[in-house]
Amino acid sequence: MKRYFLIIILFFSLHFAPAQALENEYANLIINCTQNSEYEQAIRICDKLITYKPESYYGYYLRGLNNYLLEDYDDAITDFDMALKLNPDFTDAYIKRAKAKSKSNNLIGAIADYNRARNDKFYETVTSFAGDVLWSVFSGKRDKKGK
């Protein structure tokens, strides 16, 4: 109920709040939904944010993140692509896009994104890449007996 009240307030404030404050309200609501594993609701709110402010790279990033969490890697990659088109220096989007590409078995693309992100956030990128390498080595490689 509290969330629906926040959504109603958010829509009424659409015409009265400064653009940046409204974008922050949307982002906070999206993050809250994501933290509560309400990924579809978060995506719907992202859609509203993007409709309201099409140049919101953060809106595309958050929608990509929620698509990623729903294991919809193709849509996640598309959203991360748009976030990076709007803000080519958004390192977190490179890292998340690399993860989505890795899950989609596009390892060359993932390595390229990790390499781009490495220049900005070296340790975070190396840690993320190492986790993806381990995941790809140990996932789906066992037969039915667990070998």
Side-chain angles (χ1 to χ4, degrees):
M1 184 69 170
K2 178 182 174 186
R3 181 182 36 175
Y4 296 113
F5 181 71
L6 288 173
I7 292 172
I8 291 169
I9 289 175
L10 183 67
F11 291 124
F12 279 118
S13 66
L14 180 64
H15 298 289
F16 302 108
Q20 186 61 45
L22 185 59
E23 185 175 11
N24 291 341
E25 287 182 44
Y26 271 115
N28 289 334
L29 191 56
I30 294 163
I31 290 167
N32 185 31
C33 287
T34 303
Q35 289 173 339
N36 291 323
S37 301
E38 298 170 344
Y39 308 129
E40 292 92 356
Q41 177 68 14
I43 290 170
R44 285 191 292 274
I45 298 168
C46 286
D47 292 342
K48 292 184 187 314
L49 170 58
I50 292 167
T51 298
Y52 169 71
K53 189 173 179 187
E55 71 277 7
S56 174
Y57 69 90
Y58 198 57
Y60 286 101
Y61 171 78
L62 290 172
R63 188 169 70 182
L65 176 63
N66 281 282
N67 278 317
Y68 176 85
L69 293 169
L70 286 170
E71 299 180 2
D72 184 352
Y73 304 122
D74 290 336
D75 282 349
I77 291 168
T78 300
D79 286 331
F80 295 136
D81 287 344
M82 191 62 183
L84 289 166
K85 180 179 177 184
L86 294 168
N87 183 357
D89 297 323
F90 191 22
T91 304
D92 291 341
Y94 282 106
I95 292 171
K96 294 298 186 199
R97 187 174 72 177
K99 288 181 164 297
K101 286 180 177 181
S102 177
K103 297 278 187 171
S104 296
N105 294 319
N106 178 355
L107 299 181
I108 302 280
I111 290 169
D113 281 346
Y114 279 126
N115 190 42
R116 171 62 170 87
R118 177 183 53 100
N119 296 328
D120 296 332
K121 293 186 177 180
F122 178 76
Y123 293 109
E124 182 179 337
T125 304
V126 168
T127 304
S128 184
F129 179 68
D132 284 352
V133 168
L134 289 173
W135 175 84
S136 67
V137 168
F138 293 109
S139 70
K141 305 296 184 199
R142 298 179 181 195
D143 63 17
K144 293 181 181 179
K145 295 179 183 178
K147 296 180 182 178

